[in-house]
Amino acid sequence: ASCLIRPRLLVHRPHPVTVCGFVLMSFALIQTVFVDPDLLGYAVGRYVTWLQMLVFFHLAQPLLAAPALRRQAIYAYIAGAALTSALLLSGSGLNAAMMEKGRTALGNLDPNVQAAIVGLAGVWLLALLLQPSLSFARPLTWLAWAILALLISASLLTGSRGGLIALCLGLVATTLLAGGLRHPVLALLFVLVGLAGLGLVVTQNELMMDRIRQSVEAGDTAGRDYIFASSLDLWWHRPVAGWGLGANEGALGGYTNTTLRDMHSIYLYALTAGGAVGAVLLGELLWTSVRSAI
């Protein structure tokens, strides 16, 4: 609707991230035609999903250029993540296959993705709470701290070890950077108390503790060490142009005795799908993102 009223929101020069992302996946799709045409239908499905994300990013860019809209968008994201967390904790609409493994996610969503969604909302909310303009005397501030606890609890409930590491690093970095450098001792104390509280919550979750224990004592990575090594071996067979979109998953399936197998890494996915060409495009995409953030 916004684009119909103001076409300039749609018709503007694409961001370098959009260009790199489009070229990367288009190159990988074309490569699929030459490597494994039987998987072209599956590859097109992956391609369409990627295009949807790129179009959304292209539309969101000018909309979020206004600081007021940007802040409202963050509020909306946090609110959506809080609702998601409430559903996770109440056990509504959970992924049945993941429940059998003692993990939680909504619908058919992957628990690791779910942890990233609610964890990011928690990091953003903490950044807002640490703004000097907020006072502890305001009731809404206390409500926001309760929502932060809700988001962190939901992230831990997914059983994602990567999500736990990312959440800890995000919360620590946010605390230190959001004014913490001006009061390093106070910021460090806040970080230690926060990590202790997080550790206390984790110890109450038996399934998460078991997963952490297996990781530390037995080196359990849920098969990722083998998948990563196999992905690199796969890349060595087609190092320049890769295997193509979807065809790389089919080829990796030969290593794991499955029809298709995901790399569980966006870096290895780009490397196997587009080879060295894809790696260069992904590197440019990431560098542009980092440069924009800085």
Side-chain angles (χ1 to χ4, degrees):
S2 299
C3 291
L4 289 174
I5 297 169
R6 292 187 178 135
R8 65 182 176 81
L9 294 176
L10 179 61
V11 185
H12 64 90
R13 180 182 295 177
H15 193 278
V17 164
T18 309
V19 175
C20 286
F22 177 75
V23 174
L24 167 59
M25 297 304 270
S26 297
F27 176 79
L29 182 65
I30 294 170
Q31 184 69 358
T32 307
V33 178
F34 297 102
V35 176
D36 195 345
D38 293 337
L39 285 172
L40 188 59
Y42 175 75
V44 169
R46 287 281 200 181
Y47 185 73
V48 169
T49 301
W50 183 260
L51 283 185
Q52 288 174 339
M53 291 189 289
L54 289 178
V55 169
F56 181 79
F57 176 73
H58 182 72
L59 296 178
Q61 245 198 298
L63 285 173
L64 300 183
L69 281 177
R70 188 161 57 244
R71 179 163 285 234
Q72 288 173 7
I74 291 175
Y75 287 156
Y77 183 91
I78 292 171
L83 176 60
T84 297
S85 300
L87 292 172
L88 282 172
L89 291 170
S90 66
S92 303
L94 297 182
N95 185 329
M98 286 297 114
M99 286 177 65
E100 295 174 0
K101 300 178 181 179
R103 305 183 65 185
T104 57
L106 292 184
N108 65 344
L109 198 60
D110 183 274
N112 300 311
V113 176
Q114 189 81 82
I117 291 171
V118 295
L120 178 60
V123 171
W124 273 348
L125 182 55
L126 179 62
L128 291 171
L129 284 169
L130 293 177
Q131 297 301 309
S133 58
L134 283 181
S135 169
F136 278 95
R138 296 169 61 182
L140 284 177
T141 303
W142 288 105
L143 177 61
W145 283 107
I147 293 174
L148 178 61
L150 175 71
L151 293 169
I152 292 174
S153 299
S155 179
L156 297 177
L157 198 63
T158 63
S160 173
R161 292 166 292 189
L164 175 61
I165 294 171
L167 182 63
C168 288
L169 292 175
L171 295 177
V172 169
T174 303
T175 303
L176 294 176
L177 294 174
L181 294 178
R182 291 194 297 271
H183 307 284
V185 176
L186 189 61
L188 182 60
L189 180 62
F190 188 86
V191 167
L192 292 175
V193 171
L195 290 177
L198 192 60
L200 184 62
V201 175
V202 171
T203 56
Q204 305 305 309
N205 187 333
E206 277 187 42
L207 293 171
M208 175 62 95
M209 284 300 296
D210 285 340
R211 288 175 63 79
I212 294 174
R213 196 176 295 112
Q214 289 171 12
S215 301
V216 175
E217 295 177 359
D220 177 32
T221 62
R224 280 173 175 76
D225 48 350
Y226 179 72
I227 293 172
F228 291 167
S230 301
S231 298
L232 287 172
D233 184 64
L234 194 67
W235 171 62
W236 278 114
H237 286 81
R238 289 180 177 272
V240 179
W243 290 79
L245 186 62
N248 59 340
E249 296 177 53
L252 185 60
Y255 287 80
T256 58
N257 294 321
T258 56
T259 306
L260 296 165
R261 188 65 179 179
D262 188 83
M263 283 72 192
H264 288 78
S265 166
I266 187 65
Y267 310 106
L268 290 174
Y269 196 97
L271 194 63
T272 53
V277 177
V280 170
L281 288 168
L282 180 66
E284 176 59 26
L285 189 154
L286 293 172
W287 171 239
T288 303
S289 301
V290 170
R291 192 169 62 242
S292 299
I294 292 172

